[in-house]
Amino acid sequence: PAQAKANILADYDPDQEVQTTAPEVADPLHGFNRAMFQVNEGIDVVLKPVAQGYDTAAPLPVKAGVGNFFGNLSDAWTSVNNFLQGKGSDGLSDAGRFLINTTVGIGGVFDVASEMGLEKRSEDFGQTLAVWGVGEGPYFYWPIIGPRTTRDTFGWLVDTYADPVWYVDNVAVRNTLVGVRFIDVRASLLPTDKVVEQAAFDKYNYIRDAYLQNRRSEINDGKAKPEGRDDPDCKQSRCY
């Protein structure tokens, strides 16, 4: 969901990063990653004004409806991943969210499930791989999709394959959905732009560390311990 992605940079705490991440970042392809980062910065010269225009022109109910619609689609995949991670109760809750919002919420445009007390979660296949014990591997910064560990790169491929938007037969409708979602996500990140510009001496390092900190927290359901893997509450690679 767009809201979750917007929190990656906005919630970054450099002091917390020192405590909860590995002492060294696995960034062996640093030169390639910085080059791709600059490519994305160039793309954003065009993309950002479009997102700003959307954010300014679209009424708040429209933006909320768009975010809710795509967020509802992600709830179904979140449910699957929770089941794959062995979290049956969360999986059932997420499946319930999807059914309620798809029906009562008119295709997910209205988030009725949250009003009923069903918690919104975000799980993807990269997190599932982590729970299964797959190490995160080297860090990459890819064109368009941005920062990913090796594990999350493979996870993203599975997430994309499972994304129902790509299975819409009508090409025009499919491309419109993909484009609207992309712009909606970029618009949700606009508030973090100023944060990054003000806080980051090195924007590349800041985004990398923010991404890794956020992912490690997500994988451990926000319960990562400063002691890391030696902590008994950490399961296999889940604290990383």
Side-chain angles (χ1 to χ4, degrees), residues 27-70:
D27 190 5
L29 298 176
H30 183 265
F32 167 83
N33 289 336
R34 278 197 178 270
M36 294 304 99
F37 176 77
Q38 292 303 321
V39 169
N40 278 5
E41 289 287 279
I43 294 173
D44 200 49
V45 171
V46 176
L47 181 61
K48 184 176 179 179
V50 176
Q52 290 172 324
Y54 166 79
D55 189 54
T56 301
L60 183 58
V62 171
K63 290 184 287 187
V66 170
N68 288 341
F69 173 78
F70 290 113

Side-chain angles (χ1 to χ4, degrees), residues 111-199:
D111 188 2
V112 179
S114 290
E115 298 297 326
M116 296 173 61
L118 293 178
E119 181 183 352
K120 175 74 174 176
R121 300 178 183 85
S122 179
E123 300 286 344
D124 53 53
F125 198 69
Q127 291 170 258
T128 297
L129 290 174
V131 174
W132 290 353
V134 178
E136 66 181 18
Y139 171 83
F140 288 92
Y141 199 101
W142 298 109
I144 307 298
I145 68 173
R148 294 286 190 281
T149 61
T150 303
R151 179 180 61 209
D152 285 342
T153 299
F154 285 102
W156 175 82
L157 291 173
V158 176
D159 294 336
T160 301
Y161 182 80
D163 184 355
V165 171
W166 292 105
Y167 293 92
V168 175
D169 290 331
N170 187 295
V171 176
V173 173
R174 181 177 66 231
N175 290 345
T176 298
L177 289 172
V178 171
V180 169
R181 179 169 59 184
F182 197 76
I183 295 301
D184 181 68
V185 169
R186 182 61 186 91
S188 73
L189 290 167
L190 290 173
T192 70
D193 290 345
K194 189 174 182 180
V195 174
V196 174
E197 295 295 339
Q198 291 180 343

